[in-house]
Amino acid sequence: MALPSSASSSARLRLLTVPALLLLLSSAALLVFLVLPSLSPSSASSSAVSSHLCACSPPATHTTTTVTTTTVTASPAPVTTSPTDVAWLKAQLASNSLLLPAGGAAHDAWHRLRKGINPRTREQQLFDINRHHGISHYPEEETTNHTALPCPGELLVEEHHSNYGEPWAGGRDVFEFLANASALTPTEQVLEIGCGTLRVGLHFIRYLESGRFHCLERDELSLMAALRYELPAQGLLYKRPMIVRGEDMDFSKFGDTVMYDLIYASAVFLHIPDKLVWTGLERLAGKLRPQRGRIFVSHNIKFCSRLGGDECTRRLAKLGLEYVGKHTHDSLLFNHYEIWFEFRRPKV
């Protein structure tokens, strides 16, 4: 009798368990449905729940630092020697008792001054250089010694500085006048017709940005002096001027697209046939920047005046040029003035 009673009890247990399990599962599903939204990041209590569920580090704080850099652009060196500069130098000369005597005594007084520890004329210097006398030197030939740019002795003693009929310092006067008259800036383009040994050109090369100076020169000795001595000695190789050997007003090597803000010829057109001068102007007129650009010719413009005023004006107009006027400028260091004639290209 005990066995039937036990089986009946087990059946009743099974009947009670099934509904209970269903109720338990429903309650669990409901609990999950209610709890999950509270765990989402958008919930206001998410931070509180997260603090209990995990030991997470707080989010890192990113700080953005703004660094302001100020670029200081150096102004170009002044073009002109100012009255203040002159006054300062005169004061320096006076304070050092370096005032030259006036009158006929000046020449004798100058030659009584001590002339260095080993005074030599240029001719004597050249002899010394060629004989390696009085200077330290490597015994090897020029091609195998330590000289990076072997230079002829004639250039080293600066014989070419006496090739102009006036002091070498006059080149600075020409630069100052032309740069001021054309309101030149370092970024602009300059062409010199016949730059010679760079008596003037050195100052333009130093003032302008790299590659902004062009020159057409026919004389071999002048080119040797310019390229093998003046540019290296003045520390201007890095400025990369374009100096071209050529004649007959052939400017083709400078390219078809270049536009010039200043073109000048110092005492060059005096030695060129008028016909060739006009050929040069014809080739350059289209390369002169309209309105802004200027052409300056020194000494005289007989290539124009020989035609007569009206005919000269007509030929200039045909090339797209016009005459602006005549100028003079003085020298800073010696009694001298120079005459310049200005042309421009009107607005196209």
Side-chain angles (χ1 to χ4, degrees):
M1 297 297 293
L3 288 174
S5 175
S6 174
S8 176
S9 175
S10 298
R12 286 196 299 269
L13 180 61
R14 285 195 296 271
L15 291 174
L16 292 173
T17 302
V18 171
L21 289 174
L22 291 175
L23 181 60
L24 180 62
L25 290 175
S26 298
S27 300
L30 180 61
L31 180 63
V32 170
F33 177 78
L34 294 174
V35 171
L36 278 179
S38 67
L39 295 176
S40 65
S42 61
S43 173
S45 60
S46 61
S47 60
V49 174
S50 299
S51 64
H52 291 289
L53 294 178
C54 65
C56 300
S57 301
T61 301
H62 296 280
T63 303
T64 302
T65 303
T66 303
V67 179
T68 302
T69 56
T70 302
T71 302
V72 179
T73 303
S75 301
V79 171
T80 307
T81 301
S82 69
T84 304
D85 297 331
V86 174
W88 174 85
L89 180 57
K90 288 182 176 180
Q92 295 300 306
L93 293 171
S95 66
N96 288 286
S97 302
L98 296 177
L99 301 179
L100 292 175
H107 180 78
D108 295 336
W110 177 257
H111 283 275
R112 283 197 300 270
L113 296 176
R114 183 168 178 248
K115 299 293 196 303
I117 60 173
N118 185 25
R120 313 289 283 167
T121 64
R122 281 180 174 162
E123 183 179 1
Q124 292 169 330
Q125 288 181 56
L126 180 59
F127 178 82
D128 292 345
I129 289 173
N130 291 336
R131 293 287 301 273
H132 302 296
H133 176 74
I135 56 175
S136 300
H137 67 279
Y138 293 103
E140 299 90 349
E141 295 296 326
E142 292 284 356
T143 55
T144 57
N145 68 22
H146 297 254
T147 306
L149 294 170
C151 185
E154 289 80 1
L155 300 181
L156 290 172
V157 301
E158 299 179 343
E159 285 186 347
H160 57 281
H161 284 193
S162 301
N163 291 348
Y164 289 90
E166 62 184 46
W168 178 262
R172 175 71 193 185
D173 301 321
V174 174
F175 162 74
E176 289 191 7
F177 164 73
L178 292 174
N180 276 315
S182 60
L184 190 69
T185 66
T187 60
E188 293 180 314
Q189 198 79 37
V190 174
L191 169 67
E192 181 174 3
I193 305 172
C195 59
T197 59
L198 297 179
R199 185 177 74 120
V200 178
L202 284 174
H203 303 285
F204 278 103
I205 294 169
R206 185 177 290 110
Y207 175 74
L208 295 169
E209 290 184 355
S210 179
R212 296 291 184 175
F213 180 83
H214 290 179
C215 163
L216 182 69
E217 174 58 54
R218 61 177 295 181
D219 183 64
E220 182 179 2
L221 177 59
S222 295
L223 288 167
M224 288 277 285
L227 294 171
R228 300 197 64 165
Y229 178 75
E230 292 297 342
L231 287 178
Q234 296 292 331
L236 293 175
L237 294 176
Y238 76 100
K239 285 299 188 82
R240 302 293 193 272
M242 189 173 184
I243 300 174
V244 173
R245 183 178 183 180
E247 51 188 331
D248 296 334
M249 296 292 183
D250 181 7
F251 305 101
S252 59
K253 290 184 179 180
F254 299 115
D256 297 328
T257 60
V258 63
M259 295 293 290
Y260 293 107
D261 301 280
L262 172 63
I263 299 172
Y264 68 96
S266 179
V268 172
F269 288 178
L270 304 175
H271 312 292
I272 297 178
D274 291 357
K275 183 179 180 180
L276 186 55
V277 173
W278 283 105
T279 298
L281 292 176
E282 180 180 359
R283 293 172 178 173
L284 289 174
K287 297 180 180 295
L288 185 67
R289 202 175 302 281
Q291 286 191 298
R292 176 75 182 87
R294 291 292 188 272
I295 296 176
F296 282 91
V297 178
S298 73
H299 291 74
N300 65 60
I301 49 172
K302 289 183 177 180
F303 68 90
C304 199
S305 59
R306 277 192 279 256
L307 296 174
D310 293 340
E311 177 61 16
C312 178
T313 301
R314 187 191 68 81
R315 289 195 65 172
L316 288 172
K318 186 178 179 179
L319 298 179
L321 297 173
E322 67 179 6
Y323 175 65
V324 177
K326 175 182 175 182
H327 310 270
T328 62
H329 73 85
D330 297 326
S331 174
L332 178 67
L333 299 178
F334 58 104
N335 184 12
H336 174 74
Y337 72 92
E338 200 157 310
I339 302 171
W340 289 87
F341 299 86
E342 178 183 359
F343 302 85
R344 72 176 180 179
R345 182 182 174 192
K347 184 177 181 180
V348 178

